[in-house]
Amino acid sequence: MAEEHNIPKTYDPASVEKKWYQFWEKNKYFHAEPDPDRKPFTIVIPPPNITGQLHMGHALDNTLQDILIRWHRMMGDNTIWFPGYDHAGLATQIKVEEEIKKNEGLTRYDLGREEFVKRVWAWKEQYSNRIIDQLKCLGISCDWDRIRFTLDEGCSRAVREVFVSLYERGLIYRGTRITNWCVNCNTALSDIEVEHKDDAGHLWYIKYPIIGHEGEYLTIATTRPETIPGDTAVAVNPKDERYGKLVGEKIMLPIMNRVIPIIADDYVDTEFGTGAVKITPAHDPNDYEMSLRQNLEAIVVIDKDGIMTKESGRYEGQERYECRKNIVKDLDELGLLVKIEDCPHSVGHCQRCGEPIEALISTQWFVKMEPLLKAATDCVKDGRTQFVPERFTKNYLGWMENMHDWCISRQIWWGHRIPVWYCDDCGAEIASRTDMDKCPKCGGHVHQDEDALDTWFSSALWPFSIMGWPEKTDVLKQFYPTSVLVTGYDIIFFWVARMLIMGMEFMKDIPFDRVFIHGLVRDEQGRKMSKSLGNGIDPLQVIEQYGCDTLRFMLITGNTPGNDMRFYWSRLEATRNFANKIWNASRFALMNLEGYQADAKRAPYELADKWILSRMQDVAADVTTLLDKFELGEAGRTVYDFIWGEICDWYIELIKPRLYGKAGEEARATAQQVLVTVLTGAMKLLHPYMPFITEEIYQALPHDTESIMISAWPKADPALQDKAAEKGMEAIMNAIRSIREMRSQVNVNPGKKVPAILLVSDELTGVFRENAAYIHLLANVDDMELLPLTADKPENAMASVNAGVEVYLPLKALIDVEVETARLNKELAGLQKEMQRVSGKLQNQGFLAKAPKEVVEKEQAKAEEFAAKIKTIEERLAYLKTI
C-alpha cells in the first residue's frame, strides 16, 4: 500500500475521535427499532444529574456500559442504550439557589415559585446539553434519538400514574412522624439520604432533682444537651435493680422547672451512661416510638431552621449548637453538671450538603413499603434478577428485610409536585392524574400540595417510563425487561431496590436481568475523589491530553467487578504506549500490503501462520466468555496481551522476510492475508474498549462493512484451531527467549551473531528443523546444531532448560576472553583497593573505640560485600583461563 494510502505517522486522538463520532451519528449506528425477530439487548443509562459536569465515576460507569453495548451490537443483537438525565430535585435546587444568591443576592423566596422554577429550567437547558457533549467525548454510543428527562412530559405522566395508583390503594399516605430533617436544605430526607459519620462527640452527665426526695438526684447521660427543654420523661429499664423503686416518681426538669415522670421501658440500655436516659419524643425517633407506647407529650424545641423555639424558654431564637453551649454553661453554674466524657458516636449528615440532620416531627407523604417488598425480594432470591458479583445479593436482601416506609415528600420547588389537591371549601383531599381547578365533590376552590416528590421516586420508574409507559408501546414490548443495569454499589439501596420494587409492582416483571456492580474511582492514595480534598480528576482534561481510548482502556483494565479502583497516571502513560504500539504496528502492516488481493494465489501456511490463526480463535473464545461473565477488565487484558505480546512482538517480526518478498510472491500473499485477518480480528475484539483507534485502523485495512461497530464479532473457527502448531511455536518462542536472555546476561552486542546448540525431544525435532529460520532471525543465531535430548551436554556453555528443549550457547563464541579478562582484572584491582581501605579502618583500634556502633557495623558489611565480589571475580578469571 502506497504511503499516501497509509495512516499518518503519529496518532492524533482529537481529530480521529471527532471524525468517527460524527460518522457514527450520521449513519444512525446507535439507533434501534423494535424487531420481534431479533434478540434484544437493552441498557438504560443511570441518568446523570443536571447539577454540573461528569466526573471520573461517570467515565467508568458509562465506559462499562458502552463496552457491553458495542459488543452486543457486533454480536448481532437488537441493541439499544436509552440515554437521559435526572432533574435531581434537591441537589439541583441547591445549586441554582447558590448561583442566584452569589450573582444576584436573592433567595428563591424573593423570586417566587414560578420564577424560580423557570430559572432552574434554564439551568437544565444549559447543563443537560453539556452533559450530552461530555458523554459523546467518552465515545458513548447511546441512541440519542430516544433521550429522556425525568421531568419531561412522558416521565411526568408515569409519575402521576404511579402516585395516584398507589394512593388509591392506600399505599401512599400522609402522616405526622419523626423524619430526618436537614436544616440547611430545609427539607425532609429519607433514611438512605442520611450519611452516618463518626463524630468525636461528648457525653454530658446531668443531675435531675427527684421531687419529694430532698437532695437526691437521678443522673442521666446525654449526647444532646440542647434538647433538654423538650424532655417529657426519664426512662430506666424495668429490669435494672438500681432504679426499680424510682419508677413512677417525678423529677424536676433542670432549667425548665417542669415536672416529668420516671418511666420504665425495655428499650433502655442498662450499659449506656448511667442506665437512665432522657426522653425527647419530638427530636429522637426511638424516643418518639417510646412516647407512643407510654403516652408522652412531644414538645418541639428545635425548628426546621435549626433554631430553638419558644418552647425552649429563655433559649428561644438561639442556634441549636449555640444553645448547647449555653445550656451546659447554665447547668454547670447550677451545680447540676456532673462530668463530661469523650464519646465517639455516629451522627447522621445530609448527603447533599453535609450538615448534621435533625430528627423532627413533621407531616410528610409516605409509601407503605411492606406490601411492595415481597415481589422485589423473591425475584432476586429465585435468580430472575442476578447481582454481579453475587456477594451483593446478600447486601440487597438484608437491606430489604429492614426497609421502613419511604418518606417521599420534599419541601422543595424543583421536581414533580405532589399531585394532590385540597378543597378550601369542603376540606376534601384528592389525588389526580391531571391538574385540577375545582373540587370534584363540591365545585369549590382547590389548591395543590406545595411539596415535591423525592427524586428517587421518578428514578424508580426509569426502566419503563423511559419506554413510554403507561402506554403499551412497541418499544416497551420489545425492550423491557432490560438486559443489564450497570451501577455503583453506593446506590443499590437508593435506586436499584426501588426500580425492582416499582418494576415488579407496575410491570409485573423484573426491570433488568442482571445488575452489574462496580466500585468507586479513587485517587492514587486510595482516597475518594472529592472537591474538599481537591483530588478530583476531570475526565475531559484527561481525554484532551491522552485521548478517549486511552482513558477508557485504563479505567477498565484496572477494574474488577464490585471493587474500587485507583487512578494512576503511570497506568495512563502505559496505556497510551499501548495505543501507540497498535498504531505503529498497523502502520507497518499497511505499508506492506502493497498489491494485496484477497483472492491472490498463496503459499501454504507456515507454522507461524497456523499458530497466530489458532491463537486468534482461542482469544476470541476467551474474550467472549469473559465478557459474558462481566470480567471486562480481564477480557481487555487478554486482548492487550494478544496484540502486543503475540501479534506485535512475534508474528509481525516473524513474517518480515516474507512481507519484504524474500520468499516469493505467493509466500508474501500468505503473510499479507494472515496479517490482515488477525489484525482485523484483533481490532474487532478491541473495539468495545477503544472504539476510535480501532475504527481508524479498520477503515484503512481491507474491510467488508461500513464501520467496525456494525461488523461481526469474531467467533472461534474450529477449522483454524491447531493445538499442535501452538505447542510447536511456543517451544520455538521459549528457545528464542532463552537465547536472548543468555546473550543479555553476558552483554553480547545485539548485532553479533552467535552459535547455538539445541537438544530437542523427538516430538519437537521436526518442528525445530523445519522452522530453524525463526531462531536464526529473532535470536540472531548463525550456526545452530540440533541434537537429541539424550545427547551429551555441551561443556563451557551457558544453558537454559525448557520443556522438551535445552538451549546451550558456547561461551567461547560469546565472550572475547582477552577483553573480558582485562575488564575483570581492572574491576578486581578497584575492589582490592577498596577492601584495603576498609580493612585498614577495621584494624585501627582508635577507630573501633571511637566510632558509633552502627558506623562500625556498616564498615564490616562493606568488607563482607567486597570479599564476596572479589571471590566471584577470581573464580570467573580462573574459568576464563580454561576456555
Side-chain angles (χ1 to χ4, degrees), residues 269-294:
D269 181 0
T270 59
E271 301 298 320
F272 178 78
T274 64
V277 294
K278 58 191 283 303
I279 306 302
T280 319
H283 297 286
D284 183 279
N286 297 313
D287 290 4
Y288 179 75
E289 293 299 324
M290 191 185 298
S291 74
L292 298 179
R293 292 192 297 270
Q294 302 278 355

Side-chain angles (χ1 to χ4, degrees), residues 80-131:
I80 189 167
W81 185 5
F82 290 91
Y85 30 87
D86 198 319
H87 68 281
L90 178 58
T92 302
Q93 176 161 308
I94 291 170
K95 280 275 188 182
V96 177
E97 283 189 282
E98 288 173 350
E99 285 288 311
I100 293 171
K101 186 173 182 180
K102 176 183 174 183
N103 297 330
E104 304 174 45
L106 300 175
T107 69
R108 62 179 162 124
Y109 300 104
D110 296 325
L111 296 175
R113 184 167 194 150
E114 185 176 344
E115 176 61 24
F116 177 76
V117 170
K118 195 181 294 183
R119 298 287 190 95
V120 188
W121 274 107
W123 169 284
K124 176 262 175 188
E125 290 305 317
Q126 176 185 351
Y127 283 100
S128 62
N129 293 333
R130 175 174 159 184
I131 288 166

Side-chain angles (χ1 to χ4, degrees), residues 254-524:
I255 298 172
M256 301 304 292
N257 295 322
R258 188 172 71 243
V259 177
I260 60 176
I262 300 174
I263 62 174
D265 198 283
D266 290 328
Y267 175 77
V268 178
D269 181 0
T270 59
E271 301 298 320
F272 178 78
T274 64
V277 294
K278 58 191 283 303
I279 306 302
T280 319
H283 297 286
D284 183 279
N286 297 313
D287 290 4
Y288 179 75
E289 293 299 324
M290 191 185 298
S291 74
L292 298 179
R293 292 192 297 270
Q294 302 278 355
N295 195 29
L296 299 174
E297 182 184 5
I299 301 174
V300 177
V301 294
I302 301 176
D303 70 12
K304 292 179 178 180
D305 296 313
I307 304 300
M308 305 306 291
T309 69
K310 64 180 181 179
E311 282 75 15
S312 64
R314 64 175 178 271
Y315 304 104
E316 180 183 1
Q318 297 181 9
E319 190 275 330
R320 54 182 169 163
Y321 294 122
E322 176 192 7
C323 173
R324 173 185 292 182
K325 293 177 184 177
N326 291 331
I327 284 180
V328 170
K329 178 174 175 288
D330 291 345
L331 288 169
D332 190 28
E333 290 176 354
L334 292 168
L336 299 176
L337 181 63
V338 179
K339 61 178 178 177
I340 304 173
E341 289 181 348
D342 291 335
C343 181
H345 61 288
S346 181
V347 175
H349 292 72
C350 174
Q351 188 196 51
R352 297 295 180 192
C353 71
E355 191 75 13
I357 63 107
E358 282 293 338
L360 295 183
I361 288 180
S362 61
T363 300
Q364 304 290 342
W365 286 95
F366 296 88
V367 176
K368 287 184 181 178
M369 298 307 291
E370 197 276 331
L372 302 173
L373 296 180
K374 188 178 187 302
T377 301
D378 288 348
C379 69
V380 173
K381 285 182 177 178
D382 62 26
R384 280 175 287 162
T385 290
Q386 299 175 359
F387 282 83
V388 181
E390 198 276 333
R391 68 178 185 269
F392 288 101
T393 303
K394 184 178 179 181
N395 295 17
Y396 170 82
L397 293 175
W399 187 75
M400 293 289 277
E401 289 171 3
N402 297 293
M403 189 184 285
H404 300 129
D405 284 358
W406 175 14
C407 176
I408 56 170
S409 50
R410 298 291 180 270
Q411 287 62 56
I412 56 176
W413 291 348
W414 172 246
H416 293 279
R417 193 164 175 180
I418 288 175
V420 172
W421 281 259
Y422 307 100
C423 179
D424 299 330
D425 297 321
C426 72
E429 176 184 286
I430 310 106
S432 176
R433 292 171 175 82
T434 57
D435 286 352
M436 301 178 63
D437 56 11
K438 63 181 179 179
C439 178
K441 295 182 179 180
C442 73
H445 181 266
V446 294
H447 68 276
Q448 189 176 357
D449 194 297
E450 291 292 320
D451 290 349
L453 285 166
D454 178 11
T455 297
W456 296 104
F457 192 92
S458 53
S459 298
L461 317 182
W462 189 244
F464 52 91
S465 68
I466 203 172
M467 299 185 200
W469 187 90
E471 295 293 329
K472 295 179 180 179
T473 65
D474 290 340
V475 171
L476 188 67
K477 183 178 178 181
Q478 164 113 71
F479 295 111
Y480 187 95
T482 65
S483 306
V484 59
L485 176 78
V486 181
T487 190
Y489 60 68
D490 53 332
I491 57 172
I492 290 175
F493 312 131
F494 280 102
W495 192 40
V496 179
R498 287 167 174 172
M499 283 190 288
L500 280 161
I501 288 168
M502 293 301 187
M504 293 303 296
E505 183 64 23
F506 288 93
M507 296 298 297
K508 305 305 177 187
D509 199 354
I510 57 172
F512 25 73
D513 297 328
R514 287 178 285 188
V515 183
F516 178 30
I517 300 294
H518 61 78
L520 306 177
V521 182
R522 298 183 179 273
D523 68 9
E524 292 192 5

Side-chain angles (χ1 to χ4, degrees), residues 868-881:
K869 287 182 178 179
I870 288 168
K871 182 181 178 183
T872 299
I873 291 176
E874 287 175 342
E875 289 174 350
R876 181 77 173 154
L877 286 167
Y879 175 73
L880 287 174
K881 290 178 181 179

